[in-house]
Amino acid sequence: MKKMMISLLLVLLGALCIGGAGCAEGTLTVTLNDGAPIPYLDGTDSLMITDPEGLRGVTGAANATLEDITPGCTLTLQNISLTDDVLAVFFRVQSEAPLNLWAGLTPDALSYAIPRLNCLMNGAYLAKVGLNQEAYLPDEENTLCCLAVYSLPEPLPDGAALDIGVGEKLFTVRIDRSRAQDPTVAYAPMQEETVCYVPYSESGREETCTLIIERIAFTPFGGRILMQMKQNQTSSFPLEDFTLYDDQGSRLPLFDQTYSYNSNASEEHPFWVRNEKWFAGGQDACALTIVPTVYGDSLDGKNNDRLVPIDSLPADVTLANGTQLRVLSFSADENGFIVPVMIKEGITYWLREFADAQGNDLSFNYISGQSAHRKTGVIQLEGAWSEFYKDRIVPMVTQEQIDEIRYLVFNTTNLNDYPLWEKAITVKLR
């Protein structure tokens, strides 16, 4: 069960809490820009927060505790942030028993240990486009510091009451925005486009996407493109894969994305759904250009391997399909590894394996994932060494084995991926 994606292993997560909504345990008011400390910021260099100082202007203290969300487990709401684009909840989980960190200790792996929050408005689950989370381990034993960021399809109405908590244990939270100083710079182009092209050259099938570029925002959590997409039975293809450039021709890194569909859509009754992508940079641009991606023929086999010596890092590598990466570093211990990379050109790439001094594969088992530094655009390729042992996933790699690693082995799955510039969409911001 080699290198399986964490998302496929969710069923194994010993979740701290899952449950339906219940009665609120109390009511609290959170005043944004109240000057209160944000303890989360003092313990980590967050990958998701791009503007910590600006974030303070849209953040307030919550200071509410939910006891026994599961036996012996306490959740403390610390701070809440709110802008027109996001609702962010900062909270801490403390457990009498050791935390179940089955997926490892890398940033992406820790995000899977975060309790599932319930977040409701007017008795229904909060409408959201996407949810991104991160967590870190402070010095305190059996404690996890957590951040959950809900991206919103529309701004929350003033005075809205939210029920936030776990299972049946909820607090009613009213957010006072009267003192907020929001650093977000946003544009609402409402630009409608219809794009027809062949996204996969092997299939030869032309697809059509009708979309409205609703909002482009530069937030304390990075840049965001919010799009409405028309979904029906015969035309449900979203403009999912594209590259993004500013008006100086600089490529802007893309990462976390949400794409949704409505299976009830039809030609007679189409649905408009909201999707999004997050990106780094572009704050000073007067326009952004979206360029659809065409994927070429599939590749297979080790002939397309590129071996990158770890003692040469940082290093540039060009893959068989023309993708150019800047591999920044490599770090590993008995828990897992992190390989930060920047995409300079191209689309698809794959950290396939590790190799020894002779270039031979080292067949380690690991659960792979990745996280993005939203300010710099660096993608962290991550993995937690793993084996099944007595029905549990546990690290089974020694430091001596890690010391054998001399090369990172990169590969690609597609040949001749390229940006389709003749279908580019330019969005003026100012």
Side-chain angles (χ1 to χ4, degrees), residues 7 20 93 207 213 226 243-244 350 354:
S7 58
V93 176
E207 303 282 3
I213 302 164
L226 179 64
T243 49
L244 185 67
W350 176 29
F354 304 97

Side-chain angles (χ1 to χ4, degrees), residues 227-420:
M227 297 170 285
Q228 297 183 40
M229 293 187 175
K230 189 177 182 181
Q231 302 286 315
N232 56 45
Q233 284 184 333
T234 60
S235 179
S236 60
F237 177 77
L239 184 62
E240 180 175 353
D241 295 313
F242 58 83
T243 49
L244 185 67
Y245 296 83
D246 65 14
D247 51 357
Q248 302 302 310
S250 297
R251 177 171 173 165
L252 305 181
L254 294 162
F255 25 86
D256 301 319
Q257 64 183 33
T258 301
Y259 283 96
S260 55
Y261 302 84
N262 191 310
S263 59
N264 294 322
S266 66
E267 289 285 0
E268 295 77 17
H269 300 286
F271 283 84
W272 285 88
V273 297
R274 285 185 168 99
N275 294 323
E276 68 181 359
K277 274 203 178 185
W278 291 84
F279 62 94
Q283 294 91 336
D284 298 326
C286 295
L288 299 181
T289 298
I290 297 169
V291 186
T293 297
V294 172
Y295 286 103
D297 297 337
S298 297
L299 288 173
D300 191 17
K302 294 174 59 176
N303 291 336
N304 301 301
D305 280 350
R306 297 292 185 269
L307 274 64
V308 183
I310 60 172
D311 58 6
S312 71
L313 303 178
D316 295 320
V317 56
T318 300
L319 303 181
N321 64 347
T323 293
Q324 298 177 27
L325 302 176
R326 179 74 169 170
V327 184
L328 300 177
S329 63
F330 168 71
S331 59
D333 58 24
E334 294 183 13
N335 292 303
F337 65 87
I338 294 179
V339 180
V341 301
M342 287 284 292
I343 305 175
K344 298 172 64 177
E345 293 293 342
I347 310 296
T348 57
Y349 63 96
W350 176 29
L351 177 59
R352 187 185 67 78
E353 191 54 270
F354 304 97
D356 62 16
Q358 289 72 44
N360 299 316
D361 281 357
L362 296 170
S363 298
F364 296 137
N365 287 353
Y366 56 86
I367 304 170
S368 62
Q370 69 177 40
S371 54
H373 198 298
R374 291 190 173 191
K375 185 173 183 178
T376 64
V378 171
I379 303 297
Q380 291 193 166
L381 307 178
E382 305 169 6
W385 313 122
S386 63
E387 292 275 7
F388 270 116
Y389 179 71
K390 293 184 177 181
D391 297 323
R392 291 177 59 85
I393 296 176
V394 295
M396 296 285 283
V397 175
T398 66
Q399 187 61 52
E400 288 76 15
Q401 291 173 305
I402 294 171
D403 290 342
E404 294 182 46
I405 298 174
R406 291 292 182 269
Y407 294 94
L408 308 177
V409 184
F410 283 87
N411 206 310
T412 183
T413 55
N414 295 317
L415 185 65
N416 298 325
D417 303 333
Y418 61 93
L420 191 62

